[in-house]
Amino acid sequence: MPDLTKPTGELTLRTLAMPADANPAGDIFGGWVMSQMDLASGIRAAERARCRVVTAAVKEMAFELPVKIGDTLSIYTEITRVGRTSITLTVEAWAQRSRYEILEKVTAGTFIMVAMDEHGKPTPIAQG
């Protein structure tokens, strides 16, 4: 059974939530959090595929807690499947609260990335 108090996967991206990324109440926009998750997915999938990758789909994502201005957002990725041209990743976003020693999972999702060749066509991923 997974430990719900600790991130799953490899730390792939860390960034600071800034005022420009927030609404007037100080909550960070969900789209900004999702874009950080997408960046991390692209980094991890491109390392595995050894070529350019694009986002094909995002599935099963729900925001559990808000991210606030000043929080450090850490994105953890785990490759769960490598297909012929695609890589499926489980991606978790965790917030280190700025004034507290608290690490909380704010959201998670499944990202599917597709490997692309130099002509923008799906390309096979080397297995192994």
Side-chain angles (χ1 to χ4, degrees), residues 51-89:
C51 65
R52 182 171 79 98
V53 297
V54 297
T55 308
V58 179
K59 304 191 307 187
E60 304 166 17
M61 193 167 168
F63 292 92
E64 300 166 26
L65 295 170
V67 176
K68 297 288 190 179
I69 294 170
D71 288 348
T72 299
L73 186 70
S74 297
I75 310 296
Y76 293 82
T77 59
E78 181 176 26
I79 295 173
T80 56
R81 181 180 178 279
V82 178
R84 192 177 81 75
T85 62
S86 68
I87 297 174
T88 302
L89 304 99

Side-chain angles (χ1 to χ4, degrees), residues 32-51:
W32 181 84
V33 174
M34 191 173 174
S35 72
Q36 302 309 305
M37 295 170 76
D38 191 38
L39 284 170
S41 297
I43 290 167
R44 185 81 187 272
E47 288 172 349
R48 172 58 182 85
R50 295 188 286 285
C51 65

